[in-house]
Amino acid sequence: MPTTFLKLSSVNVHIDGIGKVLIERSDKAKRISISVRPLKGIRVAVPPHISFDKAEQLIYTKADWIKEHQSRMQQQETKLTTYDPDTEFKTRFHTLRLLTHAQYNMRCVIEGGYINVLYPVFKDASDPEVQKFIRKSVEETYRKEAKEYLPQRVAYFAERFGFSYQNVFIKNAKSRWGSCSHTNNINLNLHLMRLPDALCDYVILHELAHTVEKNHGPRFWKLLDKICGNSKALDKKLKDYRISIF
């Protein structure tokens, strides 16, 4: 009977001077690619036809590049919120409560205006795994809030300024606050719920303006200025906010 060899889907390796690296098989990858991202660390995506050994060899040749990006990543991670039981943290409509319980798992219950995060009593809130779960719970709260709030806001501005659109979709995009499809579907990032009201409204108006003007030409900015004032100034302020850091 022939022996069957299973291909690993992922493996963690330790590289001297760099630390832990996740090497992961990806059907979408056409070549070996390395990414360095806050919270997620270093990931190497490997196409099905290339071995993990070859991917590991590439890591060593790119060590200087990885270290440079690690430094940037660490700078970004210092901007992350540290969630503490004694510090009040609020989303737009909910208040975070950190509670211990006598179980080994972690749970989140979003109700009554609270994000109740329950974690084991023997763990400290500053534990990286607890912080990661809190962040995930907060993000899920933003998703819930976005689905309830943003479509109503789009409908309000569309009626006020005479825009027509198809549907509103809430996304967790990594690099865009919003977009408008060629069929006038409005896609909005759930992290809009983290922005000040004026910037959240600006993104919505920006995408509604794209239902009329599909590019960023002079007519687009003229239309946007007409409905929200100094659009270029708002666009500049928006760049001060990062989608993935909160």
Side-chain angles (χ1 to χ4, degrees), residues 25-41:
R25 187 76 59 194
S26 173
D27 291 334
K28 296 180 180 178
K30 295 182 179 179
R31 57 183 176 79
I32 301 174
S33 63
I34 302 172
S35 61
V36 184
R37 291 186 290 175
L39 298 178
K40 297 186 178 179

Side-chain angles (χ1 to χ4, degrees), residues 104-152:
Y104 286 89
N105 65 335
M106 290 184 275
R107 291 177 55 230
C108 173
V109 180
I110 305 168
E111 63 180 12
Y114 288 97
I115 314 163
N116 296 305
V117 174
L118 295 93
Y119 61 97
V121 68
F122 57 84
K123 281 185 176 283
D124 193 270
S126 61
D127 183 287
E129 287 302 312
V130 176
Q131 288 290 309
K132 183 178 179 180
F133 185 80
I134 296 169
R135 197 172 307 283
K136 182 180 177 183
S137 301
V138 170
E139 187 170 80
E140 194 56 39
T141 305
Y142 283 132
R143 187 191 306 277
K144 178 181 172 66
E145 293 181 356
K147 287 181 177 179
E148 294 171 359
Y149 176 78
L150 295 178
Q152 297 178 31

